[in-house]
Each structure stands twice: as C-alpha cells, then as structure tokens.
Amino acid sequence: MAETYFTKEHEWVKIKEGIASVGITEYAAHQLGDVTFVELPQVGKTVKQFQVLCAIESVKAASDIYSPVSGTVTKVNEALEDRPEIVNEAAEDAGWMAWIEMSDPSEVKALMDRAAYDEYLRGLE
Amino acid sequence: MSHTRENAMEQLQSTPLLAEHERLKALLAPFGGWNMPIQYEGIIAEHRWCREKAALFDICHMGEFLYKGDLEAGGLEDVFTFSVKTIPVGRSRYGFLLNDVGGVIDDLIVFRLGEDEAMIVVNAATIANDFAVIQSRLKDGALFANISADTGKLDLQGPLARQVLVDAFGPEIGQIPYFKFIRTTILGVEAIVSRTGYTGELGYELFLPADKVVELWNLLLADGRVKPAGLGARDVLRLEVGYSLYGSDIDEATTPLEAGLDAFVNFDKAFVGKDALLKQQREGVKRTKVAFQVGSRRSPRHHYEICFEGEGIGTVTSGVFSPMLGCGVGIGFVRPDVAALGAPLTIMHDKVSMEATVVELPFYKNGSLRS
C-alpha cells in the first residue's frame, strides 16, 4: 500500500518501497489552467527536498515544480512530452511526472497527509 | 493591504453581462480597468470552439464614439493615419491615432455610417484619452460624442457564425462581405452588424443598445453551435493570426512603421505624426517587429529577452502556446538587421531558454476569415 503526502506548493508524492512518484495536485492543475508544456527532469538527476525538480507551463503561467523528497530521478513520464494535457485530465494519477529513489525516508515528516492537505486547501479559500 | 485591494476592485467597471458571466462560472479578472471574463470552460477548449464552430465574446468594454458633421470641415479626415472620406458608406477601415512623434495612441476601426456620420471603435483602456485627443483635433461645428456606455458589443466568431446569425435574424446578414456592415433591426432595436473581428475566423461584431445585450447574449447561447469564450482564448486566437494587441505590441513609444503596419498608413493625406513617420522612413527604423516560432511547446511571454548569436537584440511583446501549430509562437521587437526570415533566435528568461526561428505572419494560415 502506497502512502500519499502533499506539499504546501501543491505537489503530491506516493511512496512505495522507497520509490516516490511525484506530480502536482488537482488543485494546482486547476489553478494553472490548460497545461501546455512539462519540462521533465533528467533521469539520474539528484534532487533535494523542496528544491526545483522540473517546470510546467500553462496558457496562463510558467511555474517551477518542487521535489517533495530528496533522492535520484529514476524514471520520467514521457507521455507528458506530447500530451501535457494529461496533467489536467488526471493530475494525481496518469499525470505523474517523475519517480524518485528516496535518499532519506524520514523526510515525509515535513509533508502533509491527505487530511492535512485538504485542511490546508480550505484555509486558502 | 486588503483595503487597498478593495479600493482597486471598486474602480473596476463591469459590462451589462457580469451576472451572466458569474452564472456561467467564468474566471473574472481585471483587463484595461474592466472586470472581464478570462475563461469559462478553459482557454484551449474555447479557442478550439472558435476555430471549429462559433464563439461568443463579451466585448462591451470597448469604446464607441459617434461623429456627425462634414468630414473635412469638421476635421475628422485629418485625425487618423487613413482617409475617412474615401471609406464608402457601409464599410469600415482599420488604422491608427498617432501622437506628434508617430507613436500609436490607439489602433481603431472607423465605420462610415453615412455621408456625414462615422462611428469610431477604440480599445477599452484608452477610451478617455482617445476621446480627448480626437476632440482636440476636431473643429467647431461637428458633433462628437462618447456613446460607449450606451453601446453594447458582442463578437460572434467562427466558421459557423454566419449560419447562426442567418438562422436567428434572416438572410441579409449572410450577404455581408469582409469589412462591410449593415444597419438592421435585431430584437426590435437598431443594430450594426459588421463582418469584422479579432480571431482570424469568419465572424461578426454586433453593436446594439447596452440594455439589449443580455437578451442577445442568451439568445445566441441558446444555439447549440455557440459557446462563450473569454479574453484568454481571444488573445491566443488573435496572436495566431498576428494581430497586434494595443498596450503590449503597440503603444505610444511604437510607430506603425516599426510594427510593420505601414499598410494602414496613408502618406497621401495629412495626419498628426506624419512628419515623424516620414523622417523615420528616410532614416530607417531602429527596431522592427519580428514574428517567431519556437521549436518546442514552450511559450514565450511578454518581456522575455530575444537573443541572436548570444547577444540580446530585443524583447518579446506577445507570446503564447499555439494550439493550432502545437508550439510556442510570439512577436517582439528587435534590431532590424537580424529580423530576416529564417534567422535563428533564442528566447531567454531566468533559467528558461528556447530556440526559435523568424517566420512570416500569420502563424496560422487556415482561418475561415474570408470564407
């Protein structure tokens, strides 16, 4: 069973056996509007928690995506290169962006679970 | 902080359709001093609907002025970069209101309503200034009025627009050629239906009394071929066909010659700014408009830097992801010596960099505009 966590910058991360899959939340996708481009990270890139992982562009804006965890990128969602609109269609599922092999499992303590994230979203309204 | 914001919100103007936009759950945002719908269902879906069917835009924020009087004796003939007296009655013409140094105070369209009568349609953010400038250039004896508040304007644009209007209001509208208009009766009131627009598609601008706009809006939206579109889609549509946006691509520091819009300047007549343009024509422009296509899905954006062979040569004034081309497109202003077709450019901003190529306008060439 994968555990899912969230960041204040509206990324999600699903962790299973030390591998974290990462994307942006439905809330973030809705705020961005039509996604037109995802700049995927390079496989092999090492990232630090809350540092820039990759970038995303919509008709309205260009934004950075921050890594919810530290580690090494092992796989990226190449389907987003031709069809970035998948992020709008299924932000928290088929719209995943990268897999990260975690270097510090204890980092999840700095993330929110689903209930805490939902509470956080209510505070933004 | 919140107090300041409330004050800013209070100053925003709304069109008669605000309640309709709210009912349609539009995303509203300030544009040129107006609280306007940016999108309804989504910018790309609305853009596609306009290219394939018929999209309805609330354009009530734009300004309309009425002129009545002899065109030459009253002074209107010399106000713009084009001749008004040679526009046949029932036709319209696009061009510029310039300042003394040839900079663009506004781009606008003049509709020749009658022998001694013209309507001038201007951008929303420039209404007050345009009115003052034009009035200062007119002579006594002509009537000149700002009828913006009483005039509603809806744009219906897209390949199905003609059939929608013919089905709703009869066959006369179906006969209007590009840049011609008719005065007709719609919903029991006098209206102007003009074959003009800002999308590159077959389309119409409908002018009618502001208190009839809600009724017309809902009547057209009841047609299954019509969906509402916001200013977000309108910006993508206009840029794909290379139309300038006032305030971004042209402004008081930009001349029509720099913007590649010489075709809308008639040097055989008098107009304010003519001497400056003639001088610029003799000496050559120091910067020129360039259109470019990006080699990826990345979007260039306003204020991004344009580089050539590692050197900054200019600035992006408009840029979007083009759904029709599947890549980023933009226009900007650069040194004239590097604007040649096919020239490789790099568009830079922070850590973002994208390769681009100078191309001809329009980016999108298959619009139904003249069909």
Side-chain angles (χ1 to χ4, degrees), chain A residues 61-72:
Chain A
S63 320
D64 285 329
I65 294 171
Y66 301 96
S67 186
V69 295
S70 303
T72 305

Side-chain angles (χ1 to χ4, degrees), chain B residues 133-307:
Chain B
V133 170
I134 295 170
Q135 194 165 43
S136 74
R137 293 179 189 177
L138 296 177
K139 302 187 177 86
D140 291 341
L143 181 151
F144 184 58
N146 180 356
I147 57 168
S148 302
D150 303 322
T151 308
K153 177 177 184 288
L154 297 183
D155 288 11
L156 186 69
Q157 303 275 307
L160 304 185
R162 174 162 45 213
Q163 201 53 52
V164 168
L165 292 181
V166 166
D167 291 350
F169 304 117
E172 194 191 4
I173 290 174
Q175 306 303 317
I176 309 172
Y178 188 48
F179 264 83
K180 265 194 103 172
F181 65 88
I182 58 168
R183 300 173 92 167
T184 185
T185 301
I186 283 181
L187 304 174
V189 294
E190 195 181 312
I192 292 172
V193 179
S194 168
R195 178 81 189 277
T196 39
Y198 197 49
T199 62
E201 296 300 328
L202 166 67
Y204 300 82
E205 298 181 292
L206 302 119
F207 299 88
L208 76 172
D211 59 7
K212 282 286 183 180
V213 162
V214 172
E215 193 180 343
L216 179 60
W217 173 265
N218 286 318
L219 182 140
L220 291 172
L221 283 187
D223 188 314
R225 294 167 290 187
V226 179
K227 281 191 180 182
L231 295 185
R234 186 173 160 92
D235 189 53
V236 178
L237 290 158
R238 69 92 192 168
L239 187 52
E240 281 188 326
V241 289
Y243 294 161
S244 301
L245 173 63
Y246 189 79
S248 290
D249 307 313
I250 45 176
D251 53 29
E252 291 221 34
T254 307
T255 73
L257 305 187
E258 292 165 339
L261 299 167
D262 318 34
F264 306 102
V265 179
N266 180 354
F267 284 103
D268 296 331
K269 67 177 281 288
F271 60 88
V272 173
K274 182 177 174 179
D275 291 344
L277 293 193
L278 285 171
K279 181 167 182 279
Q280 198 171 46
Q281 216 172 31
R282 280 193 309 273
E283 296 175 356
V285 294
K286 292 188 176 61
R287 56 190 201 116
T288 190
K289 185 168 82 178
V290 70
F292 57 87
Q293 193 167 324
V294 176
S296 74
R297 296 178 61 101
R298 284 210 113 114
S299 303
R301 292 173 202 269
H302 194 67
H303 293 314
Y304 282 17
E305 188 179 18
I306 302 173
C307 301

